[in-house]
Amino acid sequence: MSFAFRVTHANGRARRGQLSTPHGDIETPAFMPVGTQGAVKGITHRDLEAVGAQVLLSNTYHLYLRPGDDLIARRGGLHRFIGWTKPILTDSGGYQVFSLAARRTIDEEGAHFRSHLDGSAHTLTPEKATDIQAQLGSDMAMVLDECLAHPAEPAAARASMARTLRWACRARDRFLALRDGLVPGVASTNPGQAQFGIVQGGVFPELREESARQTVDIGFEGYAIGGLSVGEPNEVMYDMVARTTPCLPEDRPRYLMGAGTPEDLVEAVARGVDMFDCVLPTRNARNGQLFTSEGRINIKNVRYAEDDRPLDPACQCYTCRTCSRAYLRHLFAVGEINASTLNTLHNLTFYLDTLRRIRDAIAFGRFESFRLAFRQSLSRQPLDS
Ligand SMILES: [Zn+2]
């Protein structure tokens, strides 16, 4: 089965659609849990399927360093290596190089860096990032882009955007050469892999529009909006998304990288975005920060020590069906590993349920009323500030 996308319902600028990949279909708008090392921290793939995850995101930088894409390719690719049969999206590794690696320098060739693990020297080029993802065999691969620091001056943002476009051309050429079997020494483990281009341009609308048009001219199976959710005000992020999506083709999926809060997801869907990933639900879960229909809960708070109610009375997840707030607080307070597991199950359920409600609302033509009600529920005083 090959890659395809079709919009099945439109409601204002919000779209509901179906994305087909070699490892199955994804109903959009979709949220992708982050499985950095080939697993979502604290839970098994069985749990992930039980909470309704349709697709997993995995990080190329980490898998390249350990256990290595050659080792994974020899196991038949990432799906077989980790035992996950549904779709996988991999990032390019660029973001982690920019945020984690030591002593990195960037030039036209690519990013030169030292591993944060053992100090070994590496170079990640647009071609190398494409090769690694071909060996991993993800269903959706990302081009290597330059991650601009925020805030940035317009001239720096323009130069970075232009380099990202040159890198995108190189990545596309490599992707097509790999598809044609013209790159010896690289074992492509998923012949149906799709490649996404990435729109950059900082917080400058003209640059965003130019980047989007030129990325579309190169031609990709899908398009991502990168470089947002990096510290700019929410309204600026929403505005950049709103300026970008009209420049992207209607018949290709749109992925807002790294965002965000539940309200970010709803607002981006309203501006025409189809796909999301974020570490927020899983990382916050491990820190005891829980999203509920009544506001955010910090489970370590002493006020929950003898609270026998479920975490979220409106939630049907395993955690909410079986555990009291008092028990969850106890597990967190003593550092029990179950705290991470139970909290992660709940937070992911909250995110995936939110996306399910969004999809239903779009299908029934009442996304605007859903958005309004969602905003009102958030504006109520949070349980823990
Ligand atoms: Zn729950």
Side-chain angles (χ1 to χ4, degrees):
M1 188 166 50
S2 60
F3 188 86
F5 177 73
R6 67 187 178 98
V7 175
T8 56
H9 304 78
N11 193 191
R13 288 174 67 183
R15 301 129 57 94
R16 179 173 171 160
Q18 189 175 55
L19 214 168
S20 300
T21 82
H23 290 87
D25 293 345
I26 301 166
E27 299 290 329
T28 64
F31 179 78
M32 302 183 280
V34 178
T36 296
Q37 307 278 8
V40 173
K41 286 183 172 51
I43 65 170
T44 64
H45 296 338
R46 183 184 59 189
D47 294 329
L48 206 51
E49 291 208 35
V51 299
Q54 310 179 80
V55 45
L56 179 68
L57 181 144
S58 219
N59 290 118
T60 288
Y61 172 86
H62 292 281
L63 295 172
Y64 161 70
L65 291 179
R66 287 186 311 193
D69 50 305
D70 289 332
L71 183 147
I72 292 172
R74 287 194 296 272
R75 314 264 91 63
L78 189 57
H79 287 88
R80 280 179 62 183
F81 177 57
I82 71 173
W84 172 257
T85 59
K86 294 186 177 200
I88 297 177
L89 182 145
T90 46
D91 62 8
S92 69
Y95 183 79
Q96 271 78 29
V97 168
F98 283 85
S99 59
L100 274 182
R103 289 170 51 190
R104 64 177 161 72
T105 57
I106 314 297
D107 59 23
E108 192 61 23
E109 183 195 5
H112 313 276
F113 65 95
R114 289 189 177 273
S115 161
H116 72 292
L117 298 168
D118 61 6
S120 55
H122 302 269
T123 296
L124 189 66
T125 64
E127 293 81 9
K128 180 74 178 171
T130 307
D131 291 351
I132 297 169
Q133 293 177 87
Q135 297 219 113
L136 296 176
S138 53
D139 299 286
M140 292 164 278
M142 307 302 298
V143 299
L144 181 67
D145 60 336
E146 188 174 75
C147 302
L148 182 69
H150 177 81
E153 296 299 318
R158 170 167 287 282
S160 176
M161 180 207 84
R163 172 169 283 165
T164 288
L165 281 166
R166 292 191 297 274
W167 284 5
C169 286
R170 287 166 55 189
R172 189 62 182 176
D173 286 347
R174 186 63 157 218
F175 178 83
L176 296 175
L178 283 163
R179 185 180 274 180
D180 293 338
L182 302 175
V183 185
V186 177
S188 297
T189 58
N190 184 351
Q193 186 180 60
Q195 188 184 42
F196 281 47
I198 304 178
V199 176
Q200 287 284 355
V203 295
F204 307 102
E206 306 75 22
L207 291 185
R208 286 275 164 191
E209 289 172 1
E210 188 178 334
S211 175
R213 277 194 297 271
Q214 295 199 39
T215 306
V216 171
D217 283 346
I218 298 169
F220 293 94
E221 285 77 27
Y223 296 93
I225 305 173
L228 293 176
S229 203
V230 291
E232 76 284 4
N234 282 354
E235 286 308 322
V236 172
M237 172 169 76
Y238 300 157
D239 189 41
M240 291 306 115
V241 172
R243 294 289 288 262
T244 304
T245 51
C247 305
L248 299 175
E250 285 288 324
D251 61 351
R252 300 291 159 96
R254 304 160 179 170
Y255 161 31
L256 177 59
M257 303 178 79
T261 62
E263 47 271 45
D264 289 343
L265 270 47
V266 173
E267 290 306 310
V269 167
R271 291 160 175 80
V273 172
D274 307 305
M275 299 165 64
F276 302 91
D277 80 287
C278 192
V279 295
L280 207 59
T282 42
R283 180 181 289 163
N284 280 16
R286 299 193 301 279
N287 294 328
Q289 307 277 343
L290 302 166
F291 296 93
T292 81
S293 58
E294 300 173 345
R296 295 185 195 189
I297 281 183
N298 185 345
I299 200 64
K300 62 190 134 188
N301 197 311
V302 70
R303 79 170 72 168
Y304 303 117
E306 299 196 49
D307 188 336
D308 296 324
R309 289 174 296 171
L311 181 55
D312 184 349
C315 180
Q316 292 296 311
C317 83
Y318 174 80
T319 305
C320 292
R321 280 187 282 117
T322 56
C323 303
S324 66
R325 294 175 181 182
Y327 178 48
L328 291 172
R329 178 182 182 275
H330 159 72
L331 291 177
F332 189 88
V334 299
E336 166 56 48
I337 201 164
N338 268 265
S340 287
T341 301
L342 292 164
N343 291 348
T344 300
L345 282 177
H346 169 77
N347 268 3
L348 276 182
T349 299
F350 184 84
Y351 265 64
L352 294 167
D353 272 355
T354 299
L355 270 296
R356 194 174 297 123
R357 289 161 62 209
I358 288 172
R359 291 194 296 271
D360 286 347
I362 295 171
F364 288 110
R366 44 180 179 74
F367 177 72
E368 270 314 306
S369 55
F370 169 85
R371 181 185 175 190
L372 192 65
F374 196 83
R375 203 182 284 159
Q376 283 168 347
S377 78
L378 291 169
S379 66
R380 290 199 303 261
Q381 188 66 29
L383 295 178
D384 295 310
S385 48

